[in-house]
Amino acid sequence: MDVMAMAQAELPTTAAPAKNIDARLSGEVSRVLLGALFDPVAAENRVDILNGNGYARSRRHAGGGEILLDRFGATGAECAALRFPSVDGRCLTIGVSGGYRLQTSAAGGWLLSPLVEGLDSYWIPQPPMLRRLDEAGHILSHRKAEIVGFDISASVLEIRLEPLSGYALDLVVWRLPAAEVDMHSSLQKLTSLESQRYFLLSSHTPYLRPADLYLHFVHGHIYENHEVWPNYWRICSELDAYSLYVTLSGLERATGKRLYTLLKMQIVHSVIARQAKDGGWYHGEWTDGMESHYRLVNAAVLMLTAYLEQHEDKAARESLELAVAFLVAQAHKLNVGVWFMHDSLEANARGMREYPFAWSTSTALGKEMTNMLILNTHLDSTIALDRYAEVTQDSQYQSLVDSAKKSTMAVLMLRPCEWLYRLIFGILDMTLLPKDAAERLPLAKRMIKRIGWKYIAPTLHQLKAVFPRLVMPNGFIDRSLCQKGFSTRYQSVHVWDLVRYMRRFPDDYVASVLKLALEYTYQGSMRDHWRESTERHDAFGFWIEALYHLCLIDSDPKLRRWLAEAVLDAEALGLGLPPSVLGTNSEAIRLAEQCPCPAPADRGLRVINLSHDEHAEYIVVNCTNQPLHLKWEISPRENVIWKKYDELPSIDNISRPLIDPHGWVTGISQT
């Protein structure tokens, strides 16, 4: 029986005390009462493992299970993560003593609300989960635990879970003190902003509501919400943590809900808790040797800098300093400067024997053989270091950043064999055509296209090893010099990283590379190519991020049209919008200049918040098949002038413009 069948059940008010988690109903059943997870009497058995400003995490063991308890300072709110390492054929019964009403929550999961005032409430964001994990923490398989029965009596509400051996059982429970009425109401009503999809940059899956955080939060760590190639296990990811952090920052600023402040705090300290002694984070995405992927480390650096701008926290500052020291130690030297590596397997030949891609040897620019010269991580690392210096005023790594910038320019300026690469990418462009367009090609071109995907694309890395080049004549930017593969998905990632890089380090040549890449991506077949396969849909999430950053520094209406069209693509594909669109990415907009995102009354509208400082600007996109009037659930703070997308200089200065199906309007504050 599903737990949903228990919704709305009411019990008589009782004052039965919560029993300890160790209590047994029989030799085959373990009983867990929610109040016991937070039992203050058990505090003497807790071991504090992490302390921050207004936050503490402790661990204790009871009844064969482990309880991680996150406590949130003056609020009195607590979150318990319970894990039974092995169920061992026992039934588990989970319940709560006293008179409680079980309700579904708008925020996801279930609320246990007391029938009388003065008692705590409980929020269970996700059902109990069964997981198989290896020693390194990879999630090998998982599923919801089945409910096999429930009991309602005058003194307790309980559910009984199936017995199953070989799996760990995980359960997350929040305790909301009776005095925290606002937090309880925060879970019962969501604005339109809080209930739309947001695209997460690592797992490429959507976050939809607060309970979705606990698809990622697994017993105190932040995981991706999908299985990763080539082993198809779930790994921890600081990039998903950062995506969630930026999303929740936007919702926090828009709604003023303290819930999001606590969730952000939990994310940050869950990342800190997983940091290795050397300052890094290790993931094991490709191997069971737990290699480190430095783009994810960069995300931890960016998240910690954003957090420290808002909260002074000793644990976060120490973690950030360790992380940056770890990051700079991963740089390799080229003849022209330093290059930040993509992952720890590139460190030596032993690691490369486990590399999951075929690769070619090259010593271009004096690089080591094992350096794949992967562009996006190098750009991201340079940005992360510069952002660290901006926030902390620690300039000790400035010479390293300057050296990395020289390497960036040298690689972007590699332009050998222009005629040959122009010919090759003219052929490869045909492989991007949608199926119906490709079928209409003349026979000769279809034959050339076949040569392209069958022979040229698989051997392109060998050509680049001889004639090193990443920026192609048509505007395509390849991911790496030596890795096998012609990755079209990364075109949007490179555009995004180049926009971010150019904002921090303005340069005319970088701007020219970016302009060509933007035009190629928009005007060619690339976006149709992304749409055609679910494996490439995630490219739109990064494309939106890139255009968002670009619109902050360029007022060109064309870019806003591209951005609105990309929003329609992402929503049609079920991706959701990336985190920055809410206007609270501190890398893009300084904390002091951020403005709350307004919330439309209609769930079919999406808002892009380009506001900063005294300048208010919005793009509102209608993602439905019906015309919609623009009405607000949370209004813009500014007096905004609205313009329809198909009107050039003319202004539609009505307060509730009608937005066409799949159309959009732009709004700018009056000056």
Side-chain angles (χ1 to χ4, degrees):
M1 180 179 295
D2 190 86
V3 73
M4 292 292 292
M6 300 169 60
Q8 308 303 327
E10 295 189 10
L11 300 179
T13 302
T14 70
K19 297 181 181 179
N20 192 278
I21 193 174
D22 294 293
R24 292 289 187 88
L25 296 181
S26 73
E28 298 299 323
V29 179
S30 290
R31 190 184 197 192
V32 179
L33 292 178
L34 300 186
L37 299 177
F38 309 96
D39 187 356
V41 177
E44 61 188 32
N45 299 320
R46 295 174 186 161
V47 176
D48 287 337
I49 55 177
L50 189 61
N51 284 283
N53 184 5
Y55 168 91
R57 174 173 289 178
S58 61
R59 176 191 293 117
R60 71 183 176 97
H61 294 85
E66 180 182 74
I67 303 167
L68 295 179
L69 185 65
D70 291 343
R71 304 190 302 280
F72 297 90
T75 68
E78 297 177 307
C79 178
L82 169 66
R83 168 169 288 174
F84 278 91
S86 178
V87 179
D88 293 334
R90 290 177 290 165
C91 281
L92 290 174
T93 297
I94 299 170
V96 60
S97 294
Y100 276 84
R101 178 187 299 112
L102 179 62
Q103 303 168 291
T104 56
S105 168
W110 301 271
L111 272 173
L112 286 161
S113 305
L115 296 178
V116 295
E117 293 184 2
L119 296 180
D120 298 337
S121 299
Y122 299 97
W123 177 41
I124 303 175
Q126 293 292 334
M129 296 295 298
L130 295 169
R131 295 186 171 100
R132 287 181 56 240
L133 300 97
D134 63 15
E135 292 182 358
H138 299 117
I139 298 175
L140 307 179
S141 63
H142 69 109
R143 67 177 178 84
K144 296 177 183 178
E146 292 187 14
I147 310 299
V148 296
F150 67 94
D151 296 311
I152 299 177
S153 70
S155 60
V156 73
L157 184 155
E158 292 184 335
I159 61 173
R160 181 169 295 189
L161 307 177
E162 62 174 315
L164 191 66
S165 297
Y167 283 78
L169 183 136
D170 288 332
L171 177 68
V172 173
V173 182
W174 275 81
R175 184 185 69 83
L176 307 177
E180 287 293 327
V181 177
D182 289 344
M183 288 189 63
H184 192 280
S185 62
S186 294
L187 299 171
Q188 294 177 306
K189 185 178 180 180
L190 302 182
T191 65
S192 60
L193 290 182
E194 296 173 89
S195 54
Q196 70 181 49
R197 291 184 178 90
Y198 294 96
F199 173 80
L200 300 186
L201 301 174
S202 187
S203 61
H204 309 153
T205 55
Y207 162 97
L208 184 60
R209 51 190 179 177
D212 286 0
L213 167 59
Y214 297 93
L215 299 173
H216 299 266
F217 178 96
V218 177
H219 203 61
H221 294 159
I222 305 298
Y223 279 77
E224 291 188 351
N225 185 27
H226 77 150
E227 288 71 35
V228 295
W229 178 91
N231 296 297
Y232 297 99
W233 49 37
R234 295 192 174 203
I235 66 166
C236 291
S237 172
E238 294 72 47
L239 183 52
D240 262 7
Y242 180 46
S243 302
L244 288 162
Y245 181 89
V246 176
T247 300
L248 298 180
S249 294
L251 299 177
E252 175 189 34
R253 187 171 286 270
T255 66
K257 290 183 178 181
R258 185 159 48 173
L259 171 69
Y260 293 115
T261 307
L262 304 191
L263 296 181
K264 287 168 54 183
M265 195 176 293
Q266 187 175 48
I267 291 169
V268 168
H269 289 91
S270 293
V271 168
I272 294 172
R274 213 182 70 79
Q275 189 174 24
K277 291 182 179 179
D278 64 1
W281 285 267
Y282 293 84
H283 311 94
E285 179 177 355
W286 292 340
T287 76
D288 57 10
M290 293 302 288
E291 79 281 353
S292 178
H293 290 256
Y294 303 137
R295 177 117 205 185
L296 307 188
V297 176
N298 295 340
V301 170
L302 292 170
M303 182 184 68
L304 290 167
T305 55
Y307 184 71
L308 284 170
E309 278 188 311
Q310 194 170 10
H311 306 279
E312 180 50 48
D313 188 302
K314 181 180 178 182
R317 187 170 293 277
E318 291 176 352
S319 173
L320 176 60
E321 291 171 354
L322 282 172
V324 171
F326 171 82
L327 183 61
V328 301
Q330 315 313 317
H332 281 208
K333 290 184 178 180
L334 307 181
N335 291 339
V336 290
V338 300
W339 188 266
F340 291 109
M341 309 298 280
H342 174 269
D343 60 81
S344 58
L345 295 181
E346 292 181 277
N348 51 54
R350 180 171 56 85
M352 291 303 290
R353 284 195 289 271
E354 299 185 71
Y355 207 64
F357 303 97
W359 55 284
S360 56
T361 58
S362 168
T363 56
L365 299 177
K367 76 174 190 66
E368 297 179 23
M369 288 285 191
T370 58
N371 181 351
M372 297 292 98
L373 214 69
I374 295 175
L375 179 63
N376 71 87
T377 304
H378 170 75
L379 294 174
D380 190 51
S381 298
T382 310
I383 293 165
L385 278 183
D386 192 66
R387 173 80 174 130
Y388 165 79
E390 175 191 351
V391 171
T392 64
Q393 302 302 305
D394 180 357
S395 60
Q396 64 175 303
Y397 303 114
Q398 186 57 51
S399 61
L400 197 67
V401 171
D402 292 339
S403 181
K405 288 164 58 180
K406 292 178 182 178
S407 294
T408 299
M409 293 302 298
V411 169
L412 294 180
M413 295 179 75
L414 289 171
R415 295 293 184 97
C417 297
E418 184 80 4
W419 68 271
L420 178 59
Y421 279 107
R422 190 174 295 278
L423 173 64
I424 285 173
F425 276 85
I427 295 171
L428 291 177
D429 273 346
M430 288 193 288
T431 69
L432 308 185
L433 291 171
K435 185 178 179 180
D436 57 347
E439 289 174 347
R440 293 195 299 269
L441 289 173
L443 177 61
K445 287 191 174 182
R446 291 205 305 272
M447 293 176 63
I448 294 172
K449 174 178 173 291
R450 180 179 176 83
I451 292 171
W453 68 259
K454 191 170 184 179
Y455 299 106
I456 296 178
T459 58
L460 185 61
H461 63 297
Q462 297 174 358
L463 175 66
K464 289 185 296 176
V466 179
F467 302 109
R469 180 170 186 160
L470 293 183
V471 179
M472 301 305 166
N474 61 350
F476 179 78
I477 302 174
D478 217 345
R479 187 189 182 205
S480 71
L481 188 69
C482 302
Q483 256 185 23
K484 181 180 180 180
F486 170 55
S487 180
T488 55
R489 293 171 55 238
Y490 274 87
Q491 177 70 4
S492 62
V493 176
H494 292 137
V495 172
W496 172 46
D497 286 335
L498 280 173
V499 174
R500 297 168 60 221
Y501 183 89
M502 188 184 71
R503 290 190 67 194
R504 302 197 77 83
F505 314 112
D507 182 90
D508 289 343
Y509 185 79
V510 175
S512 68
V513 170
L514 176 61
K515 181 180 179 181
L516 185 62
L518 284 162
E519 292 174 349
Y520 170 73
T521 305
Y522 183 81
Q523 295 173 358
S525 300
M526 185 63 73
R527 292 179 303 131
D528 290 332
H529 175 70
W530 292 341
R531 290 188 196 99
E532 204 165 42
S533 170
T534 55
E535 294 181 354
R536 297 188 289 267
H537 287 175
D538 58 277
F540 281 103
F542 299 102
W543 177 237
I544 294 172
E545 275 278 316
L547 293 172
Y548 175 84
H549 280 259
L550 195 58
C551 284
L552 290 175
I553 57 174
D554 192 329
S555 61
D556 189 346
K558 173 184 69 177
L559 297 175
R560 283 137 181 86
R561 173 166 56 85
W562 289 8
L563 179 52
E565 290 173 355
V567 168
L568 291 170
D569 280 322
E571 287 296 322
L573 297 171
L575 292 177
L577 305 185
S580 293
V581 301
L582 288 168
T584 52
N585 182 340
S586 294
E587 178 197 327
I589 303 173
R590 294 177 187 273
L591 181 67
E593 298 177 358
Q594 292 174 6
C595 303
C597 186
D602 198 296
R603 263 50 176 175
L605 298 178
R606 297 290 178 267
V607 179
I608 309 298
N609 183 14
L610 294 166
S611 306
H612 53 90
D613 203 12
E614 300 300 321
H615 172 77
E617 181 179 0
Y618 311 101
I619 303 172
V620 184
V621 184
N622 180 357
C623 297
T624 75
N625 296 319
Q626 303 295 325
L628 296 175
H629 278 286
L630 179 55
K631 296 181 289 186
W632 297 106
E633 195 172 12
I634 301 176
S635 301
R637 293 182 179 178
E638 304 81 6
N639 191 7
V640 177
I641 296 175
W642 296 99
K643 182 172 71 172
K644 297 187 75 171
Y645 67 94
D646 56 353
E647 296 174 347
L648 298 177
S650 59
I651 297 295
D652 182 6
N653 193 19
I654 59 177
S655 60
R656 295 182 177 181
L658 183 67
I659 309 178
D660 296 334
H662 304 295
W664 60 90
V665 295
T666 59
I668 300 178
S669 59
Q670 297 186 53
T671 56

